[in-house]
Amino acid sequence: MTNEQDRARRPVEILLDYALPALVMAQDVLTTLMPRMDKMSPLREELRGWHYLVGTLLFALAVTRLWRWKRGLPPLPTPGLPPRARAWAMGLVLATYICLSLTPLLGVFVVWSHGTGLHFGPLPALPAPIGENRDLWLFTGYFHSASGTSLLVLKMAVLLSAVYFLFRHGKGLFAAFPRGFGLYALLSMGSALFALSTFKSYDRGPVVVAEYLAVAAILWGLGALVRRRRAGRPPAEGYKGRIPAAIAAALLVGVGLYGPHALFRVSPFASGHVVQAEKGATSRSEAPVVVTLPPETDFERQVRAETFKWCVFCHTMNKGGAHGTGPNLYAVFGQRMAAAPNFPYGASLAARGRNGEVWTDEALAAFLSDPDTFAPGTAMVVSSGNITDPERLKALITILKRETGSAAP
């Protein structure tokens, strides 16, 4: 028995190998559920605590892996790949563990800079050692999200590389990468596809995941023929091409770091035209414009569940609520545009505000149906896609009035 075979049988190696897919899947489930729940829901806060706990365990796992790697104990690779292919596979593994170590660390500062304490599962919350700091929150929040995007890009690279290895070298996802790592990539990509396909409802999610797994099974079946033809070939040794592999993996991470800006136009730095006000002020000083609204309909409840839930991902609606990546929207209806204090607005929206334009039903409908046309250069993105259906727009604006203080008692 070789030293590598002996090490592979040790309980600590087995635990480290399979802890990765187990913890990542638990975190994927939590991060899929949390944004889809009411921000004030006690269950959401409970899930947030478990999210912090699992994130801490992932941080500990990643740091342990990197520390052992530095001591000459990397995740055990599988034989049978040429040196350059092995170097590329291990480069993807290393980049993944680096991102996994940074993501939870950044997440801690996101929470603390929002003036919120950390609580791990059912344990009491630990108070924040720093006060609320929007600049730090923006910076760490951006890169916390960006490192998650980098992990998504790396998973895609792992899966595509596995397909290439399968047909070129006869070694697929589970044979070309260290034990447990292929399982992590396969399952976590499935959960990412589920999350991306269920922005409006969960109906499409199971179908997308089933199609993804079916494609994987077909490729695996075709790969069985390749493995037979390549059976008996001696395993390759060495890691030629480490530096090019490291550079390519770093470029993939860089693509992921740019992802949140490319997809949602967010930035790690605050910039724009700011309505100066007392420090900490977030809400308009004017009283809400109160209007009488009809009783809530079933369709309105549907729009609230499918579309409006993404509005609160970036905005707060209550008086004094902190700015998110978007401004606090309390009393927005009937008020001057770009007027929430201490929030940086884009030039075109700020110009509309200086010209005295206010948020009417028509203006809100035009903005939500096509933000880029209404305010060129705006950072506003409708997460679920521009809303062009008139009935859905009307329902969404009605919900916005209810939530921002404009609904008559």
Side-chain angles (χ1 to χ4, degrees):
M1 183 182 295
T2 66
N3 288 337
E4 282 197 353
Q5 289 173 329
D6 178 60
R7 183 180 152 210
R9 293 171 179 264
R10 296 174 187 171
V12 66
E13 296 295 339
I14 297 172
L15 177 63
L16 289 173
D17 288 341
Y18 288 110
L20 177 63
L23 289 174
V24 169
M25 279 305 297
Q27 196 71 309
D28 285 349
V29 171
L30 291 169
T31 52
T32 298
L33 290 175
M34 281 195 305
R36 290 158 168 77
M37 305 185 77
D38 190 314
K39 270 191 173 182
M40 304 308 293
S41 166
L43 179 57
R44 175 168 175 162
E45 193 58 32
E46 186 177 338
L47 292 177
R48 192 189 303 277
W50 287 104
H51 171 73
Y52 297 155
L53 178 60
V54 176
T56 302
L57 294 175
L58 269 172
F59 172 76
L61 172 66
V63 169
T64 300
R65 266 299 186 202
L66 293 173
W67 173 71
R68 285 166 62 85
W69 204 320
K70 191 175 186 317
R71 293 183 58 217
L73 296 169
L76 287 168
T78 52
L81 289 176
R84 286 185 176 83
R86 294 184 82 189
W88 172 239
M90 296 305 286
L92 291 173
V93 174
L94 177 60
T96 296
Y97 277 111
I98 291 173
C99 287
L100 285 172
S101 67
L102 293 176
T103 305
L105 192 60
L106 289 164
V108 169
F109 284 97
V110 173
V111 177
W112 283 348
S113 60
H114 222 293
T116 308
L118 283 170
H119 61 103
F120 303 98
L123 302 177
L126 299 175
I130 58 178
E132 189 170 341
N133 185 323
R134 177 171 167 77
D135 289 338
L136 180 60
W137 178 79
L138 273 176
F139 183 84
T140 56
Y142 178 90
F143 285 105
H144 175 68
S145 175
S147 60
T149 310
S150 293
L151 285 168
L152 180 62
V153 172
L154 289 169
K155 280 180 280 194
M156 292 173 63
V158 168
L159 294 173
L160 292 174
S161 299
V163 173
Y164 173 78
F165 293 157
L166 179 64
F167 290 98
R168 180 69 178 83
H169 305 297
K171 299 291 180 181
L173 186 61
F174 300 139
F177 291 91
R179 180 176 55 193
F181 194 85
L183 183 63
Y184 144 75
L186 179 71
L187 296 180
S188 189
M189 180 56 73
S191 65
L193 290 172
F194 180 86
L196 291 170
S197 62
T198 54
F199 258 48
K200 293 185 177 180
S201 73
Y202 288 109
D203 296 341
R204 178 67 180 151
V207 176
V208 170
V209 174
E211 291 171 347
Y212 161 70
L213 294 176
V215 171
I218 291 170
L219 290 173
W220 179 85
L222 293 174
L225 300 175
V226 176
R227 286 195 296 272
R228 285 178 194 159
R229 289 202 303 269
R230 299 181 184 275
R233 295 195 178 188
E237 299 295 337
Y239 290 97
K240 289 181 182 178
R242 286 181 177 179
I243 293 177
I247 293 173
L251 288 174
L252 289 178
V253 172
V255 170
L257 293 180
Y258 182 69
H261 179 73
L263 294 172
F264 303 110
R265 303 176 189 171
V266 294
S267 168
F269 306 103
S271 62
H273 300 259
V274 179
V275 177
Q276 299 296 335
E278 181 184 353
K279 184 178 179 180
T282 60
S283 304
R284 294 163 174 78
S285 57
E286 299 88 353
V289 174
V290 177
V291 294
T292 301
L293 299 174
E296 189 175 42
T297 64
D298 289 339
F299 180 67
E300 189 179 321
R301 283 187 283 272
Q302 178 186 345
V303 172
R304 181 185 291 274
E306 293 178 355
T307 306
F308 180 75
K309 65 182 178 183
W310 300 111
C311 299
V312 298
F313 197 74
C314 296
H315 299 276
T316 54
M317 313 280 171
N318 58 304
K319 187 175 183 179
H323 294 311
T325 52
N328 173 277
L329 297 181
Y330 177 74
V332 67
F333 179 71
Q335 305 288 5
R336 186 167 56 88
M337 296 179 187
N342 297 318
F343 184 85
Y345 287 94
S348 57
L349 204 57
R352 284 180 175 271
R354 286 195 298 271
N355 290 336
E357 294 187 53
V358 300
W359 287 116
T360 62
D361 284 38
E362 294 75 19
L364 286 168
F367 188 46
L368 293 171
S369 62
D370 193 345
D372 290 313
T373 299
F374 186 86
T378 182
M380 165 73 172
V381 174
V382 182
S383 299
S384 56
N386 289 350
I387 305 161
T388 55
D389 175 60
E391 291 303 312
R392 186 170 291 268
L393 266 174
K394 182 179 178 181
L396 185 60
I397 292 168
T398 300
I399 296 169
L400 193 63
K401 291 175 183 176
R402 294 189 200 277
E403 297 297 323
T404 58
S406 290

